[in-house]
């Protein structure tokens, strides 16, 4: 069994910063890739950023230059540093971990990020 847990969400003013964490635990040898998604009310879930085991990252156009994805392979943990936050960034943020070998995906329960003055 694999568990994925996000943390670090909260309420922040426009222009502020938050750092989300995604911790994977359980029957894990290694994680091939991690990705962050978000879903705003009334909208479809969209990918925000992804990173491979080798550290190759990619970003949605809307967050490029403001968000940074990283990971600690030894801890099976991923991070999303979010700077210069905007009200449009308000959403529930989800982490997806793809296991090496099986390439099975596991999702966390989500963490709420609200950007408001």
């Amino acid at each position: 069994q694999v568990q994925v847990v996000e943390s670090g969400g909260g309420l922040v003013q426009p222009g502020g910063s938050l750092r989300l964490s995604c911790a994977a635990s359980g029957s894990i040898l290694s994680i091939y890739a991690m990705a962050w998604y978000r879903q705003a009310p009334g909208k479809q879930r969209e990918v925000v950023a992804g990173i491979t085991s080798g550290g190759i990252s990619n970003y949605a156009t809307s967050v490029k230059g403001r968000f940074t994805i990283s990971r600690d392979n030894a801890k099976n943990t991923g991070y999303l540093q979010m700077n210069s936050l905007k009200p449009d960034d308000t959403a529930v943020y989800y982490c997806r971990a793809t296991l090496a070998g099986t390439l099975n995906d596991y999702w966390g329960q989500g963490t709420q990020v609200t950007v408001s003055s």
Side-chain angles (χ1 to χ4, degrees):
Q1 192 71 5
V2 176
Q3 298 81 39
V4 176
V5 179
E6 304 99 335
S7 61
L11 173 64
V12 64
Q13 292 186 341
S17 299
L18 281 175
R19 187 193 194 206
L20 305 183
S21 297
C22 170
S25 62
S27 303
I28 300 173
L29 290 179
S30 65
I31 295 175
Y32 171 67
M34 300 187 87
W36 288 94
Y37 290 71
R38 67 186 181 187
Q39 187 166 19
K43 295 186 178 181
Q44 290 188 334
R45 188 175 298 188
E46 62 176 0
V47 63
V48 175
I51 187 167
T52 67
S53 58
I56 298 174
S57 59
N58 55 78
Y59 299 90
T61 301
S62 59
V63 306
K64 197 171 292 185
R66 299 188 297 122
F67 291 10
T68 302
I69 190 171
S70 62
R71 58 185 291 173
D72 184 332
N73 291 334
K75 296 181 179 179
N76 289 327
T77 299
Y79 305 95
L80 185 68
Q81 178 66 43
M82 306 186 295
N83 298 329
S84 302
L85 283 162
K86 306 174 182 180
D88 284 349
D89 295 318
T90 296
V92 178
Y93 284 70
Y94 297 91
C95 175
R96 187 199 76 196
T98 303
L99 299 193
T102 64
L103 298 184
N104 288 337
D105 290 331
Y106 294 87
W107 292 83
Q109 81 290 347
T111 185
Q112 177 70 46
V113 172
T114 302
V115 185
S116 175
S117 56

